């Protein structure tokens, strides 16, 4: 057993990870399981960088739901199952968001397109890190490409979203 708070170290050295918060076990799994399918929004936010967006489920269609994001009115189609009308949190990993200039956004309905405004851009050597506003929400995204226009589109695949139904 090895105890650490260094995420890079735990992800590279471990074959099993146990995530504890406030003295309670949250999830046990492989590094891939913990990162790709976190059990709770807290685990998603603790391991890696994850945007956690609150919303309400508008509609359901098979294994996909549509979530209206709080403070924005914008909607995301998300892979997962949740009851219409219920509250939910959508997790978006910053590296899974594609940034495109407004004219380049696809309009085929296969992906989500959110309108955003660039608030800050930082160059880290390997990529650009963006702080964006989507309505009243703050979203972090990463891109190998520098975008300079203030308005931008965020392209998000429904399968890249994490769905966390509200706990009752």
């Amino acid at each position: 057993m090895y105890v650490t708070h260094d995420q890079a170290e735990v992800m590279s050295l471990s074959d099993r990870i146990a995530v504890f918060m406030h003295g309670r076990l949250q999830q046990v799994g492989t590094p891939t399981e913990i990162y790709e399918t976190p059990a709770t929004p807290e685990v998603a936010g603790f391991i890696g960088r994850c945007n956690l967006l609150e919303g309400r489920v508008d509609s359901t269609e098979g294994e996909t739901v549509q979530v209206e994001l709080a403070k924005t009115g914008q909607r995301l189609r998300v892979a997962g199952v949740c009851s219409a009308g219920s509250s939910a949190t959508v997790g978006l990993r910053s590296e899974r968001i594609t940034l495109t200039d407004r004219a380049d956004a696809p309009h085929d309905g296969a992906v989500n397109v959110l309108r955003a405004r660039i608030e800050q851009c930082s160059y880290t050597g390997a990529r650009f890190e963006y702080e964006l506003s989507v309505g009243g929400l703050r979203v972090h995204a990463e891109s190998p490409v520098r975008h300079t226009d203030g308005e931008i589109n965020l392209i998000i695949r429904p399968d890249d979203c994490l769905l966390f139904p509200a706990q009752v």
Side-chain angles (χ1 to χ4, degrees), residues 4-165:
T4 183
H5 289 92
D6 184 323
Q7 290 183 21
E9 186 175 49
V10 76
M11 296 297 280
S12 64
L13 293 177
S14 302
D15 56 355
R16 303 278 295 161
I17 299 171
V19 179
F20 286 84
M21 291 184 180
H22 310 293
R24 302 187 79 191
L25 180 64
Q26 299 292 310
Q27 185 173 357
V28 176
T30 66
T32 302
E33 290 168 342
I34 297 289
Y35 190 82
E36 299 293 335
T37 55
T40 65
E42 294 79 17
V43 172
F46 182 71
I47 299 291
R49 182 171 264 168
C50 191
N51 299 287
L52 298 172
L53 310 175
E54 302 295 324
R56 180 162 301 282
V57 177
D58 270 356
S59 61
T60 65
E61 185 177 315
E63 302 269 325
T64 303
V65 300
Q66 181 168 283
V67 178
E68 180 179 343
L69 300 177
K71 302 180 185 178
T72 72
Q74 295 189 61
R75 291 174 169 76
L76 279 177
R77 282 182 305 103
V78 179
V81 178
C82 193
S83 301
S86 62
S87 295
T89 300
V90 177
L92 300 173
R93 295 277 183 206
S94 59
E95 74 276 6
R96 303 260 169 88
I97 299 171
T98 302
L99 283 73
T100 66
D101 295 320
R102 291 185 64 83
D104 296 338
H107 299 287
D108 60 7
V111 295
N112 295 293
V113 179
L114 294 179
R115 293 175 308 284
R117 177 159 190 74
I118 298 172
E119 298 296 336
Q120 184 176 0
C121 177
S122 302
Y123 181 60
T124 64
R127 64 185 178 274
F128 295 91
E129 293 187 357
Y130 293 89
E131 290 295 328
L132 308 155
S133 61
V134 178
L137 301 174
R138 288 287 191 184
V139 174
H140 181 271
E142 301 170 9
S143 175
V145 178
R146 169 100 164 111
H147 296 276
T148 56
D149 190 16
E151 298 290 320
I152 198 157
N153 285 313
L154 311 182
I155 310 301
I156 304 159
R157 295 175 350 128
D159 289 342
D160 284 338
C161 298
L162 303 167
L163 181 65
F164 301 104

